[in-house]
Amino acid sequence: MAHTDHQTMRRVLRREIAGTIGLLTDEHDFRAMRRYRTFTFDDHATYLKQVEDLLRTRSAQGSHTTIALFDPQEYAEFCEETGLDPDAPSSRTRFTAELAGTGPTLPYEGQPLTDLVPALVDEAVRQATWEYATTLLARLGTCGSCGEDIGRAAFTRASDLLLRILDTALPGEHHLVCSVTGTPETLVSVLHSDENTDGSVQLDEAEALEFTTVLALGIATQSPGGLVMRTSTPGTADRIYGWRLRGDGLDPLTAGEVFDAYCTDIDSGDLISPESDVDYCAPPDLGPEGPTPHHSH
């Protein structure tokens, strides 16, 4: 009977373990961790290079790694709540394992960290936006006159509007931005969608959920805001159009209003040259109204 090499077995098993690395994405967070004696890195750039080397090595060995956003403040709170010593590598491992299930994460697929870090930060912002908007929606409670859950009714309304926006769009790649300015924090949400040749639309479910939640919050609180859509189709000019949030619905912007919004610097108010090969236009008719919440708050 052949003797199986224990080292080979261990190597095979190691490939079966999915790992998570908690990444300190910026200099400020990195400096915050340097106060711990057991955190032995001196320089953020060197730290990022070491992480990238480790990711490449693991990938070459066939191991799957997830990257999580490591927040030193959340880590300190976690250690306080769980009674763990924050200056112990095992505590950092425990926190990172926790992040794998709850925090913003991305799979490592061989991309350079210069691409992965901004994507991970975007993911964190998206998750925080969704959590914040969800909390505000839930706090609205029920309508005093009809007993309907205000947040749920607004979410249904927002879902209906989003479906109609995508249904009436020309085929192509869509980039939607929704901003709501009347809440304590200005919220911005982005949604990408691709239309297949058979007419079916591909959406990232988490992105779509967050986008709908932000739009629902604007509708429920009747806040100022807007929604802009850009459609790119090979061989033709990009089409850009949009709506302003008005009551519990959307009011179409004129082509001139869309042009002004895109060709004015937000900070200075100065004019910016319009992009070439872009058609600033009025939106299509969204068709018959869907369910409308019959109360105002």
Side-chain angles (χ1 to χ4, degrees):
M1 192 174 170
H3 173 70
T4 307
D5 184 303
H6 285 280
Q7 229 175 341
T8 306
M9 282 178 69
R10 273 202 299 275
R11 214 169 16 246
V12 169
L13 281 172
R14 201 175 295 132
R15 281 207 301 269
E16 302 287 320
I17 298 169
T20 302
I21 290 176
L23 188 65
L24 295 156
T25 55
D26 64 44
E27 191 78 48
H28 178 267
D29 286 350
F30 180 81
R31 279 202 304 272
M33 289 305 289
R34 287 202 58 205
R35 68 175 183 266
Y36 300 121
R37 187 184 48 82
T38 55
F39 185 79
T40 53
F41 292 95
D42 296 322
D43 170 70
H44 190 233
T46 307
Y47 158 83
L48 289 176
K49 187 184 180 313
Q50 295 283 346
V51 169
E52 190 152 28
D53 289 348
L54 174 63
L55 289 168
R56 286 208 186 107
T57 304
R58 282 180 56 82
S59 185
Q61 291 168 348
S63 296
H64 174 80
T65 313
T66 298
I67 317 294
L69 190 74
F70 195 105
D71 184 312
Q73 195 178 334
E74 280 180 21
Y75 171 63
E77 288 165 8
F78 171 80
C79 289
E80 203 171 312
E81 285 165 16
T82 51
L84 292 171
D85 173 10
D87 202 352
S90 58
S91 302
R92 292 197 284 278
T93 306
R94 278 273 299 278
F95 177 65
T96 301
E98 193 93 356
L99 284 178
T102 59
T105 60
L106 286 177
Y108 176 69
E109 294 166 333
Q111 66 272 56
L113 277 193
T114 47
D115 293 345
L116 201 146
V117 167
L120 188 59
V121 171
D122 283 350
E123 178 67 15
V125 169
R126 191 183 62 68
Q127 190 168 319
T129 300
W130 175 70
E131 286 171 359
Y132 181 67
T134 303
T135 303
L136 291 184
L137 266 183
R139 280 190 196 149
L140 295 173
T142 54
C143 172
S145 56
C146 72
E148 189 172 23
D149 183 303
I150 295 167
R152 192 170 296 137
F155 190 88
T156 303
R157 173 83 176 132
S159 303
D160 177 63
L161 286 168
L162 177 58
L163 282 174
R164 281 159 48 211
I165 287 167
L166 292 172
D167 280 349
T168 54
L170 290 173
E173 190 181 304
H174 309 306
H175 179 87
L176 292 93
V177 180
C178 178
S179 58
V180 175
T181 55
T183 50
E185 297 278 336
T186 294
L187 297 181
V188 178
S189 182
V190 178
L191 178 64
H192 303 92
S193 84
D194 287 315
E195 195 161 331
N196 298 330
T197 46
D198 63 359
S200 62
V201 174
Q202 283 182 309
L203 290 173
D204 178 288
E205 282 184 27
E207 248 189 26
L209 177 62
E210 185 233 321
F211 189 91
T212 309
T213 306
V214 169
L215 178 56
L217 183 64
I219 289 168
T221 55
Q222 303 207 344
S223 297
L227 196 156
V228 175
M229 168 122 146
R230 181 177 190 136
T231 300
S232 306
T233 312
T236 63
D238 282 10
R239 289 169 61 82
I240 299 177
Y241 52 77
W243 299 262
R244 68 171 58 82
L245 282 174
R246 177 68 58 82
D248 54 23
L250 296 171
D251 259 9
L253 296 172
T254 64
E257 286 173 321
V258 175
F259 180 89
D260 288 346
Y262 266 84
C263 301
T264 307
D265 184 280
I266 294 170
D267 297 319
S268 66
D270 296 339
L271 288 176
I272 308 166
S273 307
E275 290 180 62
S276 57
D277 286 335
V278 169
D279 183 10
Y280 302 94
C281 50
D285 186 346
L286 293 180
E289 287 287 308
T292 307
H294 50 270
H295 39 65
S296 55
H297 323 298

